[in-house]
Structures are given as structure tokens and as C-alpha cells.
Amino acid sequence: MIRLGLMRHGHTAWNRDGRIQGRTDIPLDDDARADLSALRLPDGWDSADIVASPLARATETARLVTGRTPTDIPALIEMDWGTWEGAHGTALSAAPESGFKPIEAWGWHYRPPGGESPDEVRARLLPWARSLTQDTVAICHIGIMRVLLAHATGWHFDGPAPFRIKRNRLFVLRIAHDGWAFDGVERLQGAPSCA
């Protein structure tokens, strides 16, 4: 059995502005860099492999929190949001012609115009996850985390998720030959209790 700890990257200007980032390579903002520099992985993860999405916001988060250079994993790149990338979610939601749906109403096969469905993201993630040979921390994106947590918990993007993805935490999955399990959430060392 392998533990996979999933961590969301720090804030960017687009996060704070409510814009959909997708694969646009937006860097961390200065506040995020300062906050992340004060954090460390929870106890028990010091010998884990450190991997990250190739986007700068993930690789820099990994370096700041772990003090190590992560291995870039192309499969961990954020979901492709197609023509919605760079847009404000609130504006898309207010425009019926956009086709925008909240993620809780997507199912596995809904796809933003020109983008990827959760099922397509899962198809690129599962071979990588199944290839892990030791405990691993993956610094990535909320879309990637949603898909892996959905796979582990049996959520089908069909109503409220049984998890809430927050920053400065590890969401721990256990991957075994006979199945996956969501093993809970661990707070990063140095993270404020209200984060």
C-alpha cells in the first residue's frame, strides 16, 4: 500500500480575483510565497517522494514547503478549462449561453467548451498513480485533487462533494492493489488553525 498526499498550490493573483486558471502558468503572489515559506510537511512525510505539476505555481509551492526540488509530472497539470480559462466563474454562471455548470452538476463526462472532462483527467492520472512505488507528496491543482479524491471516495460529480479542498493541508489517499481509500486530511506544520 502506498500513501499519496495531495496538496494544492498557493494563491496566485488569478485565484484571488476569481479567475479560472487552468493551464495558464500564473505564478504565486508575494503573500503566498511569504505564507508558504513558514510551512512544512506534517510529520511522517520526510522520506516521501516530492512531485509537482509542471506549472510554476505548483513547483514553487513544493520548493517553499519541502525545501526540495520536485520531480515534474506532466499528468498532474491542471485540467484544461478550454474557452473558460481566464474568465471569471461568476460571469460565466450569470451568462446562460456560456453553458457553465457548477462542478457538482458535471458528472464524469461533462466538458467545458474546448476543455477536458473529469473522466479524461482521470484517464491520465490513474496510470501515474498506479505506478507509484513509495509514499509520495504531489503538489498540484484543485481540479486534479477533485478527480483523485472523487475516484477514491466514489463521488461522481453529482451533488455536494464528500470533501472540501482547502489549502495548507495534505489530503491523504491510500492506494493498494485491491482499491483506493481516502485516509483523511493532515494540516501542514506552521499552518494557522483557521487556514
Side-chain angles (χ1 to χ4, degrees), residues 47-69:
S47 62
D49 282 345
I50 306 298
V51 302
S53 158
L55 297 177
R57 59 191 183 264
T59 57
E60 187 175 6
T61 296
R63 282 192 301 272
L64 289 168
V65 171
T66 70
R68 295 163 54 189
T69 299

Side-chain angles (χ1 to χ4, degrees), residues 20 22 79-86 112-116:
I20 297 171
M79 188 179 95
D80 185 344
W81 283 82
T83 61
W84 292 351
E85 193 151 324
E116 282 181 295

Side-chain angles (χ1 to χ4, degrees), residues 86-111:
H88 290 88
T90 52
L92 290 169
S93 183
E97 70 279 4
S98 73
F100 184 83
K101 290 183 178 182
I103 198 104
E104 297 83 4
W106 281 26
W108 279 103
H109 300 288
Y110 180 77
R111 174 185 303 110

Side-chain angles (χ1 to χ4, degrees), residues 4-164:
L4 173 58
L6 303 172
M7 180 184 163
R8 189 177 179 193
H9 64 77
H11 281 99
T12 70
W14 278 26
N15 289 139
R16 296 191 197 276
D17 192 36
R19 294 176 68 182
I20 297 171
Q21 285 180 121
R23 295 181 175 183
T24 304
D25 204 1
I26 306 298
L28 296 175
D29 64 26
D30 289 340
D31 288 341
R33 288 184 182 105
D35 292 344
L36 291 165
S37 294
L39 301 177
R40 295 292 170 260
L41 293 176
D43 290 337
W45 291 93
D46 50 328
S47 62
D49 282 345
I50 306 298
V51 302
S53 158
L55 297 177
R57 59 191 183 264
T59 57
E60 187 175 6
T61 296
R63 282 192 301 272
L64 289 168
V65 171
T66 70
R68 295 163 54 189
T69 299
T71 301
D72 285 351
I73 303 295
L76 291 174
I77 197 166
E78 179 61 299
M79 188 179 95
D80 185 344
W81 283 82
T83 61
W84 292 351
E85 193 151 324
H88 290 88
T90 52
L92 290 169
S93 183
E97 70 279 4
S98 73
F100 184 83
K101 290 183 178 182
I103 198 104
E104 297 83 4
W106 281 26
W108 279 103
H109 300 288
Y110 180 77
R111 174 185 303 110
E116 282 181 295
S117 70
D119 193 54
E120 290 167 323
V121 175
R122 179 171 58 176
R124 68 176 154 91
L125 287 170
L126 291 186
W128 165 75
R130 290 178 180 136
S131 75
L132 298 176
T133 58
Q134 71 172 51
D135 289 352
T136 301
V137 172
I139 293 81
C140 53
H141 311 275
I142 194 169
I144 299 305
M145 293 174 69
R146 276 190 195 116
V147 167
L148 290 171
L149 287 162
H151 182 76
T153 62
W155 180 56
H156 299 290
F157 294 86
D158 58 352
F163 47 82
R164 185 167 176 222

